[in-house]
Amino acid sequence: MSKLQTPRDWEGRAVSTVDLLLFIREQVNEGAILEMFLGSVNAHAMRAFIEGSSMALQYNGLPDREFQDFIVWLRDVKREWPEDGWVKKYLRELGGDHAAAIKKFLDFVAEFAATRKR
């Protein structure tokens, strides 16, 4: 198993939750296993990982505005943030497939990021 190399531009700066999720998506698409990030392929663990990342930034005085903008976009533009959350919705839609639910969420993160680069 190879060691993951984080992007050089992360050195000396706070990394947003969106950047972290894009990195995870890129690594998984290149063959890394989700377990390297989550311990197990579990959408609930991914949700907790995301919440922890965002909270850590906030507790360190660094508002995670881009992630909050993503949540608003996911809810208002894509209509993909129901009251019971993305995990339950995607697991329901995808027959309980945790990997597919996580991939769907990460794909939305990438779509959101692409809209910001225009």
Side-chain angles (χ1 to χ4, degrees):
M1 179 167 80
S2 64
K3 181 179 172 187
L4 292 176
Q5 296 294 315
T6 56
R8 288 188 187 266
D9 71 335
W10 284 13
E11 290 180 29
R13 73 171 178 93
V15 177
S16 74
T17 301
V18 168
D19 284 343
L20 181 57
L21 294 172
L22 290 171
F23 174 73
I24 291 171
R25 181 178 182 267
E26 176 185 305
Q27 294 301 306
V28 168
N29 286 343
E30 291 178 3
I33 58 174
L34 278 169
E35 290 91 331
M36 292 181 75
F37 301 98
L38 303 174
S40 66
V41 179
N42 184 293
H44 300 286
M46 176 59 105
R47 187 194 76 238
F49 177 86
I50 292 166
E51 289 174 4
S53 171
S54 188
M55 288 177 69
L57 287 170
Q58 291 176 32
Y59 289 156
N60 283 287
L62 304 164
D64 200 4
R65 287 192 177 96
E66 187 176 26
F67 184 68
Q68 296 307 316
D69 290 347
F70 165 68
I71 296 302
V72 169
W73 175 86
L74 193 62
R75 183 193 66 211
D76 296 349
V77 175
K78 301 307 281 186
R79 305 276 189 239
E80 289 288 334
W81 193 271
E83 284 189 29
D84 60 350
W86 68 269
V87 172
K88 287 183 181 180
K89 179 181 191 305
Y90 299 169
L91 288 175
R92 218 177 14 253
E93 290 175 357
L94 299 165
D97 185 335
H98 285 260
I102 293 167
K103 182 180 181 327
K104 181 174 182 170
F105 186 81
L106 293 175
D107 287 347
F108 278 126
V109 173
E111 184 180 344
F112 168 77
T115 69
R116 304 286 271 206
K117 292 180 182 181
R118 291 183 193 158

